[in-house]
Amino acid sequence: TMSKLSVSVEEKFINMWIAIESLSRLDSHDNIIGNIIINVSSACSIRYIYKEIRNFIEDCFRCEISLDFDGVVINRNEPNKELLVQNILNIFRNNTLYAELHNRCSTCALLKHRCEKFHALLNDEKKLINQIKSHHQTIRWHLDRLYRIRNEIAHSANKQFISVVSYTEHLYDYLATYISELARFS
């Protein structure tokens, strides 16, 4: 709340960082940045593939791609979003249904590409694991970069070449995901 109510973007960023520090303060590491990088990047990676699949389903709906298949119907209004994901996973793993989905997604090049990507990932355990590991590492790098920006702002008020607005948005996304995952397991 303090971050959202702050006037300057630097103050928003610093207050957002303090919120992450406060939530991730554990005794598992000697320093706060270690706690943040390990805990937040892990929380943001837990349901990475699930969220990507959910986004793919929503993109299909936005592009008006029918997700009604023989024996499998994916209904946009389904309240159980995990069921939606499970159903699309079954489609990706069934060669006949996947061929039909792929054909439907061909109307949009990006959607077709994402369809092919998910099919490859969901049918190759090593690729799937490597994708999650890569995402986890990317978040670690981003958090490390955000920590350096935090230090530049806090210690030298250096903001000349920093687009703090976009970095604050990234930080907010990480914080929201971290809180969501903490609440999920509480």
Side-chain angles (χ1 to χ4, degrees):
T1 302
M2 287 176 60
S3 176
K4 289 190 176 231
L5 296 175
S6 298
V7 177
S8 76
V9 290
E10 292 80 12
E11 191 178 350
K12 285 180 185 292
F13 183 90
I14 292 297
N15 284 329
M16 190 75 61
W17 187 267
I18 291 168
I20 285 183
E21 278 186 6
S22 299
L23 283 172
S24 59
R25 188 171 300 276
L26 300 170
D27 293 332
S28 56
H29 293 86
D30 293 339
N31 56 35
I32 190 63
I33 188 60
N35 283 323
I36 292 171
I37 288 177
I38 296 298
N39 297 328
V40 175
S41 62
S42 295
C44 290
S45 299
I46 288 173
R47 297 186 328 136
Y48 167 65
I49 298 297
Y50 170 82
K51 289 177 182 180
E52 289 289 304
I53 297 290
R54 280 281 315 278
N55 184 263
F56 173 77
I57 294 168
E58 291 301 320
D59 284 346
C60 287
F61 290 138
R62 281 187 282 276
C63 293
E64 299 180 0
I65 305 295
S66 171
L67 295 178
D68 294 343
F69 297 89
D70 187 31
V72 180
V73 175
I74 298 178
N75 181 358
R76 176 180 224 154
N77 298 320
E78 170 64 50
N80 183 351
K81 301 307 180 192
E82 291 174 2
L83 181 61
L84 289 177
V85 172
Q86 185 58 52
N87 285 339
I88 201 82
L89 291 176
N90 293 335
I91 291 168
F92 277 116
R93 291 185 175 139
N94 178 308
N95 290 332
T96 305
L97 295 177
Y98 168 70
E100 194 174 336
L101 175 64
H102 185 264
N103 186 46
R104 292 177 189 181
C105 289
S106 294
T107 59
C108 176
L110 180 58
L111 201 55
K112 178 183 174 187
H113 172 74
R114 292 185 71 210
C115 183
E116 292 167 353
K117 172 189 162 188
F118 287 127
H119 182 256
L121 282 176
L122 297 170
N123 288 291
D124 185 337
E125 188 176 317
K126 284 185 180 182
K127 282 184 182 178
L128 183 64
I129 290 169
N130 287 337
Q131 182 70 31
I132 295 168
K133 285 180 179 179
S134 174
H135 178 71
H136 185 262
Q137 184 60 50
T138 300
I139 292 175
R140 290 176 67 130
W141 289 331
H142 285 249
L143 289 167
D144 193 43
R145 180 190 61 193
L146 294 171
Y147 182 64
R148 287 192 307 273
I149 292 168
R150 173 245 180 243
N151 286 343
E152 288 177 16
I153 293 169
H155 297 296
S156 64
N158 183 0
K159 58 184 180 186
Q160 290 176 339
F161 301 107
I162 301 173
S163 174
V164 181
V165 173
S166 63
Y167 292 131
T168 303
E169 291 170 3
H170 292 165
L171 200 53
Y172 178 78
D173 287 341
Y174 294 144
L175 177 62
T177 301
Y178 188 58
I179 290 170
S180 172
E181 292 304 323
L182 287 176
R184 210 169 167 273
F185 291 107
S186 295

